Amino acid sequence: MPSEHDGELGFSYTWRELLKKSESTNRLSISSTSIFDKDMFLVTWSPILASLTYAYDNAEDDLSLEKAIIGFHHCAVIATHYKLNTVIDNVVISLSKITGLLKSDGPLPLERTPVVNGGHLEEVIAKRVIKVDRWAVEFGRSYKAQTAAVLMFNLTSEFGNNLRNGWKNVLDCIRNLFLHSLLPLTMLEVEDFVNTVTMIPRIPPTKTEADSERQQQRKETGLLSTITQFLSLSGPFQLDEEEDIEPTSEELDCERHTLDCVRAC
């Protein structure tokens, strides 16, 4: 009957049958050979990597986070041993998505002087206390994102010769760090035959026709809004909230954590 295989009764019946069959099976033989290790890893690496990613995202204590980090590193080591470049690519790609460094939405901050040494961190932040980078603050708030970034760059440095498609995600992360002026000075200097050393400038985005028309409309409506505000005697001009808000100490600490993390990578 189909009902005999459902519910607790069906489970008990199946379990008893399994125990009876186990009594008549041959003894388990343990083999010391490793000829099946590569084939087993080829079959299991994808669910293992998915499990590690889920465990990392949902880790609630340092021990679980540490075990997930060790698991990522072991996967990369085994994949390098068997020259499985696809596995290493997927490990790096998974970590790059966890970092959040691939996000390219939102406005870019003003170009600023990079941090040379850790001892000058306080002076750099103090000089630009009026503004913080929201993108850097968001990254500095997430301890998991910072740990994943350090792990990703360390794996890239250690197993870079076996990396193929994963380089795109790594370079996308570096590009976003460059656009937000978070890279160290050593990565922004290039040799120049004239000036010996030259800083790599951040190229401003090109304006499209739609942006030019929008800017022209702002200029045309700007005069009308100014006259209207003056005639209505509504008080001083209303500044943009994002431009007028001073950063909090928590935001400064988050940006400091971001700079420390980038320097550790």
Side-chain angles (χ1 to χ4, degrees):
M1 297 294 291
S3 59
E4 295 179 356
H5 301 281
D6 297 332
E8 185 177 355
L9 181 61
F11 175 79
S12 300
Y13 172 78
T14 306
W15 179 250
R16 288 195 302 268
E17 291 294 322
L18 183 61
L19 292 178
K20 290 180 181 179
K21 291 180 181 179
S22 64
E23 296 176 356
S24 59
T25 57
N26 297 328
R27 293 185 58 186
L28 178 64
S29 60
I30 301 176
S31 177
S32 59
T33 182
S34 59
I35 60 175
F36 304 112
D37 291 354
K38 182 178 180 180
D39 295 328
M40 291 179 62
F41 186 70
L42 283 172
V43 174
T44 60
W45 74 264
S46 182
I48 288 175
L49 185 57
S51 302
L52 290 173
T53 305
Y54 180 83
Y56 190 95
D57 286 336
N58 297 274
E60 298 180 355
D61 55 89
D62 294 339
L63 182 60
S64 301
L65 199 64
E66 181 180 356
K67 289 183 177 180
I69 292 173
I70 294 174
F72 280 120
H73 188 266
H74 284 174
C75 279
V77 170
I78 297 174
T80 303
H81 177 72
Y82 292 117
K83 298 180 180 180
L84 303 176
N85 300 329
T86 304
V87 179
I88 301 179
D89 285 335
N90 281 272
V91 170
V92 172
I93 291 173
S94 299
L95 290 173
S96 66
K97 294 178 180 179
I98 297 175
T99 61
L101 296 177
L102 296 176
K103 296 179 181 179
S104 57
D105 53 344
L108 294 176
L110 296 176
E111 199 165 4
R112 55 197 179 189
T113 304
V115 178
V116 181
N117 295 317
H120 301 294
L121 182 59
E122 297 292 340
E123 288 81 0
V124 172
I125 292 181
K127 289 180 181 178
R128 55 180 184 82
V129 70
I130 58 173
K131 264 281 195 179
V132 292
D133 185 3
R134 303 297 173 188
W135 188 85
V137 170
E138 181 181 357
F139 177 75
R141 283 196 177 108
S142 176
Y143 176 73
K144 292 182 180 179
Q146 298 171 52
T147 308
V150 174
L151 179 61
M152 180 191 70
F153 285 113
N154 285 340
L155 292 179
T156 303
S157 176
E158 186 175 357
F159 308 107
N161 293 334
N162 301 94
L163 203 59
R164 298 295 181 267
N165 298 331
W167 277 112
K168 180 182 182 302
N169 290 56
V170 175
L171 293 177
D172 285 343
C173 293
I174 296 177
R175 179 201 61 185
N176 289 334
L177 291 173
F178 169 73
L179 293 177
H180 290 268
S181 302
L182 294 172
L183 291 178
L185 185 63
T186 54
M187 297 186 65
L188 301 177
E189 293 180 342
V190 293
E191 294 184 0
D192 191 354
F193 293 104
V194 178
N195 300 322
T196 306
V197 176
T198 303
M199 294 287 296
I200 302 176
R202 192 176 71 184
I203 301 176
T206 57
K207 291 185 178 181
T208 61
E209 295 182 359
D211 294 335
S212 301
E213 294 178 359
R214 196 178 300 110
Q215 187 175 6
Q216 184 65 25
Q217 290 177 358
R218 287 201 193 100
K219 290 182 179 179
E220 294 175 356
T221 58
L223 180 61
L224 292 175
S225 62
T226 303
I227 296 175
T228 303
Q229 186 173 13
F230 177 75
L231 293 177
S232 62
L233 299 177
S234 59
F237 297 107
Q238 299 293 328
L239 299 177
D240 189 4
E241 294 181 356
E242 293 294 331
E243 296 290 336
D244 196 33
I245 290 180
E246 292 186 1
T248 63
S249 58
E250 187 264 343
E251 290 175 337
L252 292 176
D253 290 338
C254 290
E255 192 168 16
R256 185 183 295 106
H257 294 160
T258 299
L259 293 172
D260 292 339
C261 177
V262 173
R263 188 169 61 252
C265 294

